[in-house]
Amino acid sequence: MVWVVAMTLLSARRLSKYFGGLRAVDEVNFELETGEIRAIIGPNGAGKTTFVSLLCGRLEATDGSIIFENQDITGLPAFKRARQGIAYTFQITSIYSKLSVRENVAIAAQNATDKSRDAAYRVQDALTRSGIPELADEIAGSLAYGHQRVLEVAMGLAMSPKLLILDEPTQGLSDMEIEQFCELVSDINNTATVLLIEHNMHVVMKLAQRITVMDRGRVLAEGLPEEIRRNDAVQAAYLGS
Amino acid sequence: MSSEQAKSIFLHAGVLAGLFLLQFFLPEYHHLSVTRIMLLAVFAMGFNLLFGYTGLLSLGHAMFFAAGMYGAGLSAYHLGWSVPLSFMVGIACGVVLSLAIGLIALRTTGVAFMIVTLMFSQVAYLTIVYFTTYTRGDEGLVMPESARQFVLFGQQLSLTHPGTRYNLALMLLAIVMASVWLLVRGDFGRSLIAIRENEARTKMLGYNTFLIKLKVLVVSGTISASSGAGYALMFAYIGSSFATIQYSIDPLLYTLLGGAGTVLGPFLGTALMFYLIDITSEYTSAYLLVAGIVLVILVLFFPRGLLGAVRNRWFGWLP
Amino acid sequence: MDFGPFLFLATLEGLVQAAVLCLIALGLSLVFGVMRVVNVAHGEFYMLGAVLAWWITGWFAGNPAIGFVAAIIIGPLLVGVIAYFVERLILRKVEYDPEATIVATIGILYIVQQLVLITFGPDARPVDTPFYFLIEFPWFGYSGYKLLVICAAIMLLLAVWYVITRTRLGLVMRATQYDRETAQNFGIAVNQVYAIVFATGAGLAAVAAVLIVPIQQAHYLMGRDPLLLSFIVVIIGGLGSIRGTLVAALIIGLSDGIISVFFSPTLAKMVSTLLVAMVLVFKPEGLFGSRSQL
Ligand SMILES: Nc1ncnc2c1ncn2[C@@H]1O[C@H](COP(=O)(O)OP(=O)(O)OP(=O)(O)O)[C@@H](O)[C@H]1O
Ligand SMILES: [Mg+2]
């Protein structure tokens, strides 16, 4: 028998975020292992975006703690977490729309965690891996929506992150774009752990090694894709919403 | 070195060389005007670093200009310090003031930032007026004879000599232009533009945006102060009118006219606006009318200014 | 004079200040609240109101009250019309972008100020008080006109309050302020509302100016101090909050009047400006407003 010792990359303890009386994230415990692709699913307003925003530092937690690579990062500002290797792509596309695609990626590459290669190389590498090298000189705001989403990911990639958080990356993409996107995520997974918020169950089942289900700020269930598919509570939450 | 970079260096060095040669042809009146323009352009370049590149619109840059002016002027007048030393004091005042203002004002963004800087600048103006025993407020101070002569690198220089003033102003302009050019082309410049275009995103990409904004505000304030210090010493006069809101609006006007976010834009804008006002003031005392009309026209029709329009249409490489 | 009566006099002076300041700041606050733009030219509309009052009263010889009544009707109307066109021709074109609007209104500030300089000259112009009437207190006599200013300001404020809370126009304004897009979807002509609000804001400043010219004089540079003061009021009161604006105007107008009787006005201005800047930095919702709006 072979023992695979799983390393914990990130864990959250009783993590909470309240907006006034609303408990958007309510005492969530969460563990992420190095190298996995994890999907977070859940109905609208479940608190998924809020939860990952706490992880990357975009929002400040009301309570609880976050450990990343054995270090408590709960109090760290977002930019420091980014430098330690947590990259985040926004649910609502947020790029530098007046700058060229290459500039967009170059801005992201400037603070990369891994600086063993020079910046120009990392930019080109991120563009190539994302499959948009021929768009490098286009103005980002003039790109088709699908390409803008890919650019978001390319920017994440250019940071050479240890953990890449993708918030509903396939929303609004065509079927073909989604297929390409899945390949891209698989490729990224060779060098980074991926945390993926996704509504498209086809994408989730194809990519995720484990799935976490959230509902009303809490973790409803967690497990292998097969287990989640068969879980009654999950079915109820989705059908009930 | 890329060909774009070569072109750009050539252009900026060419402008400076042109200004150097110009002094041998200019009649006396314009000789003096160009000296003033070069100094005011330094002010506008400092302002543009913050406004054009970082997207932070300060409506109070007169306070940094005044910090340099009064730092230099008061130490030359009351303490009898030498010209180079007084100049350094002016710059030091700029550093300290911009650091203090930055630490406070940068907690705000957008419209609040504009109003806060406007108010701090008003406080600075009132401070000058309040300490009228030392500053003589609106009436101002004329620098003593001792502050008109100095020794630099073994050379005896006299600030009463127009050629000396012209070349010192040109030197300051050249230093500032080269610094700005280097600054905006490197990684730091890229982070400024990133903040201007989308600050929230920039934070998530690992940038300490507060620190970057603080740094650029200090550089911007210090450059503006160097202009004020130069102005005080070269023209031998300091007065509170240089700290009024008018002097906060001027660099905005120059920058918008020449093109925000370009290295040469502020210089071009300063030169054009200076002569525009110079000419109109021959005909009417209401010369500020021109400033108002130009501002409105720029906002309505040329939000990128002259060089911005040129860059968009023909020369993408212009920094 | 003893301290008590002296303080009473200072308070009366402060109340006159506060009354006028309320009107000016209310104009600025309305524009910011509904349109989300800062009108830097607001002080010039005030100045324009004062200079027009001087000009209009000049038409009428004889009883100064007639000229004054004409001025207080025609002056603000003219200023409102001018502001209306400024809004149509400039602010609308820059789509109310906050920064562009500030730059544009700085330009308008210069244009209005300098045109007045060209047209009416650089001299300070006095306007006759519409009536002379001294109210005799035991310690001193006080101008009845100044008390009228206070009353007139209160009536105007009540009128504005009535319009905002009780009429359809007010409802439309509040809806636009609350959510521009939705208001548009409900068929409110947002553009028209903006133009009316902008003109009203300028008109209020002009009314304040007409009320004050018999006490001060009309001069082309008189717009700057009221502009700064009403900025201060609007910030302390909480941007866009009308009730906050009024409370702040009262406090600042009163304290400004009182303080400048006792202290050096420069020092008073210095300290108050600094404090206000700090409020905007550390408590952007203002001291009396309820929500953060910048
Ligand atoms: N800044 C905020 N202020 C107040 N409430 C908020 C804020 N952000 C989110 N919420 C609320 O918190 C809850 C969780 O929102 P969140 O965006 O995390 O959900 P989500 O799971 O990402 O939903 P979706 O699938 O629609 O993206 C919602 O009820 C939302 O209205
Ligand atoms: Mg979400």
Side-chain angles (χ1 to χ4, degrees):
Chain A
M1 195 173 201
V2 183
W3 288 93
V4 181
V5 180
M7 294 261 295
T8 303
L9 178 70
L10 175 141
S11 61
R13 288 275 154 266
R14 302 174 62 103
L15 197 60
S16 305
K17 178 70 185 179
Y18 304 156
F19 294 114
L22 175 75
R23 302 185 165 205
V25 174
D26 194 8
E27 301 201 347
V28 167
N29 291 311
F30 180 82
E31 299 240 336
L32 195 61
E33 276 157 26
T34 307
E36 72 171 318
I37 298 182
R38 172 75 63 92
I40 300 182
I41 62 173
N44 288 111
K48 307 180 295 292
T49 298
T50 309
F51 175 63
V52 297
S53 297
L54 296 176
L55 299 184
C56 68
R58 204 162 69 94
L59 293 175
E60 220 175 296
T62 312
D63 203 3
S65 64
I66 308 162
I67 312 286
F68 182 68
E69 291 193 308
N70 300 319
Q71 194 204 337
D72 189 329
I73 59 165
T74 321
L76 285 191
F79 78 89
K80 283 198 180 150
R81 299 188 202 193
R83 286 186 191 174
Q84 294 198 354
I86 302 181
Y88 171 79
T89 69
F90 288 65
Q91 176 169 5
I92 298 158
T93 312
S94 176
I95 52 177
Y96 302 99
S97 55
K98 287 186 206 154
L99 305 180
S100 73
V101 168
R102 187 189 303 283
E103 261 318 287
N104 269 270
V105 179
I107 291 169
Q110 203 165 300
N111 284 318
T113 333
D114 166 24
K115 292 202 170 158
S116 54
R117 307 301 279 262
D118 77 330
Y121 174 85
R122 278 182 277 125
V123 171
Q124 198 54 45
D125 184 53
L127 287 170
T128 316
R129 279 175 72 186
S130 326
I132 50 169
E134 74 284 355
L135 297 177
D137 295 319
E138 303 284 322
I139 295 298
S142 68
L143 296 182
Y145 179 74
H147 283 138
Q148 292 193 5
R149 297 299 307 187
V150 174
L151 172 57
E152 278 262 7
V153 179
M155 287 162 75
L157 200 52
M159 296 172 76
S160 53
K162 293 173 187 152
L163 169 61
L164 179 61
I165 301 174
L166 301 166
D167 196 345
E168 299 198 19
T170 65
Q171 202 179 32
L173 298 193
S174 70
D175 285 351
M176 206 179 73
E177 285 170 329
I178 289 181
E179 288 311 314
Q180 286 169 351
F181 186 82
C182 289
E183 277 167 38
L184 174 57
V185 173
S186 301
D187 173 50
I188 292 172
N189 188 228
N190 290 324
T191 55
T193 307
V194 176
L195 180 56
L196 176 74
I197 298 179
E198 190 52 76
H199 277 300
N200 183 327
M201 285 316 278
H202 164 71
V203 174
V204 172
M205 289 303 164
K206 186 165 173 178
L207 288 173
Q209 284 140 25
R210 287 178 73 81
I211 297 175
T212 302
V213 187
M214 286 186 72
D215 186 30
R216 290 176 217 174
R218 291 176 164 270
V219 173
L220 191 66
E222 189 171 295
L224 300 171
E226 276 315 303
E227 297 167 6
I228 296 300
R229 205 203 293 268
R230 281 188 261 107
N231 187 315
D232 291 340
V234 176
Q235 303 267 352
Y238 265 100
L239 295 176
S241 72
Chain B
M1 190 192 298
S2 71
S3 77
E4 290 199 349
Q5 204 169 349
K7 263 196 277 186
S8 170
I9 291 178
F10 189 73
L11 173 72
H12 292 84
V15 168
L16 292 172
L19 280 167
F20 179 76
L21 293 176
L22 200 60
Q23 65 180 305
F24 303 112
F25 304 102
L26 283 175
E28 197 182 323
Y29 178 76
H30 294 285
H31 193 273
L32 182 65
S33 297
V34 175
T35 310
R36 280 186 207 278
I37 288 172
M38 288 191 290
L39 279 177
L40 291 175
V42 167
F43 183 18
M45 280 178 164
F47 173 84
N48 181 38
L49 212 46
L50 197 63
F51 171 63
Y53 287 96
T54 324
L56 285 168
L57 175 46
S58 147
L59 290 180
H61 251 48
M63 68 181 141
F64 302 127
F65 186 83
M69 170 170 266
Y70 277 86
L74 291 179
S75 49
Y77 186 90
H78 290 295
L79 306 173
W81 287 0
S82 73
V83 171
L85 193 58
S86 302
F87 186 73
M88 284 306 165
V89 173
I91 290 190
C93 289
V95 174
V96 172
L97 182 67
S98 49
L99 191 63
I101 297 292
L103 282 172
I104 302 171
L106 286 174
R107 291 161 183 273
T108 62
T109 51
V111 173
F113 180 78
M114 301 180 208
I115 298 178
V116 166
T117 46
L118 177 87
M119 296 196 128
F120 278 131
S121 178
Q122 186 65 13
V123 173
Y125 168 75
L126 292 168
T127 310
I128 294 169
V129 175
Y130 183 70
F131 289 103
T132 191
T133 341
Y134 304 104
T135 63
R136 301 243 54 84
D138 193 30
E139 178 191 324
L141 296 170
V142 176
M143 292 298 115
E145 196 48 39
S146 64
R148 308 298 292 145
Q149 319 285 336
F150 67 105
V151 180
L152 191 68
F153 306 126
Q155 287 271 348
Q156 174 75 33
L157 296 174
S158 165
L159 285 173
T160 48
H161 186 257
T164 310
R165 288 197 300 234
Y166 188 98
N167 287 303
L168 283 175
L170 178 58
M171 214 161 77
L172 185 62
L173 178 72
I175 292 171
V176 167
M177 195 185 284
S179 318
V180 170
W181 189 86
L182 285 172
L183 211 58
V184 300
R185 290 182 68 92
D187 282 356
F188 187 65
R190 176 178 289 132
S191 59
L192 299 183
I193 292 173
I195 289 174
R196 179 185 76 195
E197 296 296 324
N198 188 343
E199 185 170 351
R201 182 64 166 140
T202 309
K203 266 186 208 158
M204 298 311 298
L205 291 175
Y207 291 85
N208 184 353
T209 54
F210 182 83
L211 189 66
I212 296 171
K213 289 194 290 186
L214 184 62
K215 280 185 194 163
V216 74
L217 194 142
V218 170
V219 175
S220 165
T222 306
I223 291 178
S224 304
S226 77
S227 163
Y231 212 93
L233 296 167
M234 281 183 215
F235 302 111
Y237 170 76
I238 62 177
S240 64
S241 62
F242 287 102
T244 51
I245 296 176
Q246 165 93 54
Y247 272 78
S248 292
I249 306 298
D250 278 351
L252 168 66
L253 185 58
Y254 301 153
T255 303
L256 277 177
L257 178 58
T262 62
V263 175
L264 278 177
F267 173 74
L268 185 70
T270 309
L272 283 174
M273 205 59 222
F274 188 94
Y275 271 107
L276 202 56
I277 289 201
D278 198 44
I279 293 166
T280 29
S281 60
E282 277 173 30
Y283 299 98
T284 163
S285 57
Y287 54 88
L288 281 175
L289 182 61
V290 183
I293 293 174
V294 171
L295 270 177
V296 171
I297 290 178
L298 282 172
V299 171
L300 284 183
F301 304 108
F302 305 99
R304 288 163 190 278
L306 293 174
L307 275 191
V310 169
R311 169 161 64 184
N312 264 24
R313 208 156 295 171
W314 299 293
F315 306 112
W317 49 268
L318 213 61
Chain C
M1 209 186 301
D2 288 336
F3 181 76
F6 192 55
L7 187 67
F8 180 56
L9 176 64
T11 310
L12 278 178
E13 289 292 304
L15 269 179
V16 177
Q17 289 270 351
V20 175
L21 190 55
C22 272
L23 290 176
I24 308 174
L26 180 62
L28 194 67
S29 177
L30 263 184
V31 170
F32 182 84
V34 178
M35 301 168 65
R36 291 268 161 261
V37 299
V38 176
N39 174 17
V40 184
H42 195 63
E44 302 316 302
F45 290 134
Y46 168 81
M47 178 275 287
L48 198 56
V51 173
L52 287 179
W54 167 76
W55 184 56
I56 294 168
T57 48
W59 301 344
F60 302 91
N63 189 344
I66 299 172
F68 183 80
V69 170
I72 205 157
I73 293 168
I74 304 174
L77 266 180
L78 268 178
V79 172
V81 169
I82 292 171
Y84 181 87
F85 281 105
V86 164
E87 201 277 346
R88 292 283 86 165
L89 299 177
I90 299 173
L91 297 203
R92 183 138 71 121
K93 294 287 186 298
V94 300
E95 291 166 355
Y96 314 102
D97 172 79
E99 300 207 349
T101 304
I102 287 200
V103 177
T105 50
I106 290 173
I108 295 160
L109 179 158
Y110 282 139
I111 294 176
V112 172
Q113 183 189 82
Q114 300 292 310
L115 284 179
V116 167
L117 171 65
I118 292 174
T119 321
F120 298 102
D123 303 324
R125 312 287 193 170
V127 171
D128 280 340
T129 315
F131 56 87
Y132 291 96
F133 180 70
L134 272 190
I135 296 184
E136 289 295 341
F137 292 106
W139 319 278
F140 52 79
Y142 198 71
S143 153
Y145 177 72
K146 286 188 179 175
L147 292 183
L148 176 91
V149 170
I150 298 174
C151 298
I154 293 173
M155 306 239 293
L156 272 165
L157 293 175
L158 285 177
V160 171
W161 175 80
Y162 179 83
V163 170
I164 291 177
T165 53
R166 295 290 142 87
T167 64
R168 196 185 128 69
L169 178 66
L171 182 71
V172 164
M173 265 163 60
R174 280 180 290 143
T176 314
Q177 159 166 25
Y178 190 68
D179 184 344
R180 188 182 168 173
E181 312 259 288
T182 313
Q184 205 144 25
N185 293 341
F186 274 96
I188 292 175
V190 168
N191 272 325
Q192 210 58 37
V193 175
Y194 277 14
I196 291 172
V197 167
F198 196 74
T200 310
L204 278 170
V207 173
V210 180
L211 285 173
I212 207 74
V213 268
I215 304 171
Q216 290 169 3
Q217 295 189 345
H219 183 247
Y220 79 105
L221 289 177
M222 72 190 289
R224 205 192 57 197
D225 281 355
L227 176 70
L228 284 172
L229 264 183
S230 44
F231 264 16
I232 292 179
V233 165
V234 172
I235 291 167
I236 297 283
L239 291 153
S241 148
I242 285 178
R243 193 179 326 149
T245 301
L246 296 184
V247 177
L250 203 62
I251 292 176
I252 289 167
L254 264 176
S255 55
D256 192 61
I258 295 174
I259 288 172
S260 56
V261 172
F262 291 104
F263 298 101
S264 139
T266 313
L267 185 63
K269 272 191 211 164
M270 233 165 88
V271 174
S272 57
T273 313
L274 192 64
L275 288 180
V276 170
M278 292 301 180
V279 168
L280 189 49
V281 172
F282 294 102
K283 210 169 175 312
E285 70 277 18
L287 299 182
F288 311 110
S290 44
R291 43 195 174 120
S292 157
Q293 285 161 321
L294 255 192

